[in-house]
Amino acid sequence: MVDSLRSPGVAAIGGSVVIALVPAVVAAQAGRTEPAEAIPHWLVLGLIMLGPAVIGAIGVARRSRAALVAAAGSCIPVSVLSVATMPIVVPALLFLVAARAAPPASRPTSWLAAMAAAVLAGGSLFALILNTETRCWLAFETAAGMDYRVVSEADAARPLGGPGGPVAAGCDGGEFTARGVLVAAALFGGAVAAAGAASRGRPGSA
């Protein structure tokens, strides 16, 4: 029973980690040609998208059917983000296969905790991507290289060139806010705690 649980469970964890890193890597590549972000988009997005993997790891370690089902459910919000993240439905199915091999939940409240874990994990992702702002900047050429300065949208529309003037300007939408990151982190922590509660009483075995 252990092998029939761990094999698909570990495969699901690995797959969800890889898929979570896809948008993070894309964001990191895109950010190389822009001013440095106050909140690294790629790092925060990658960490928050690891929710299914973290919850799944708890489920596999504790052989918890409820936590493994929660891991599968937490894959759904990730799958709707983009075409690149849709393949996470495969790890979701593997989590369900592992859940089927796990012992039944010992407490009815385990399923309530599992539901909370899936909802909170999805909420952490959407709290992050829905709390964004537009950041405008000007680029000045200096002896040390390009100097980027964050400015208002009105200042970004100023003419380019001239003595000491900016040589480039732009506005980037979708920048994460400190508030969004804090809310997402709190919800993510709640999801992990709920997954732990869902798996309570199901210690792992070798």
Side-chain angles (χ1 to χ4, degrees):
M1 177 179 290
V2 173
D3 288 341
S4 62
L5 184 158
R6 289 186 182 275
S7 296
V10 171
I13 294 169
S16 57
V17 168
V18 171
I19 293 170
L21 293 178
V22 169
V25 171
V26 171
Q29 294 289 335
R32 290 183 180 181
T33 60
E34 300 173 358
E37 298 172 310
I39 301 174
H41 190 282
W42 64 272
L43 176 61
V44 175
L45 182 61
L47 290 175
I48 292 299
M49 287 186 62
L50 288 176
V54 174
I55 295 173
I58 293 173
V60 170
R62 299 188 178 181
R63 300 178 60 223
S64 168
R65 178 175 295 181
L68 287 166
V69 171
S74 65
C75 290
I76 296 175
V78 177
S79 69
V80 302
L81 284 183
S82 68
V83 174
T85 59
M86 286 181 63
I88 202 169
V89 296
V90 175
L93 292 175
L94 290 174
F95 279 131
L96 292 178
V97 171
R100 186 176 181 181
S106 59
R107 299 174 298 121
T109 53
S110 293
W111 291 109
L112 293 177
M115 183 181 300
V119 171
L120 289 170
S124 68
L125 180 58
F126 286 111
L128 185 67
I129 63 178
L130 294 179
N131 283 278
T132 60
E133 61 185 2
T134 298
R135 182 187 61 164
C136 297
W137 50 270
L138 294 173
F140 296 84
E141 193 170 7
T142 67
M146 298 299 292
D147 176 27
Y148 292 99
R149 303 176 189 175
V150 178
V151 297
S152 66
E153 189 171 353
D155 287 337
R158 62 184 288 188
L160 302 179
V167 297
C171 289
D172 306 319
E175 297 295 323
F176 294 148
T177 64
R179 176 184 176 182
V181 171
L182 289 174
V183 172
L187 292 175
F188 186 90
V192 174
S199 62
R200 192 170 301 158
R202 289 291 176 189
S205 59

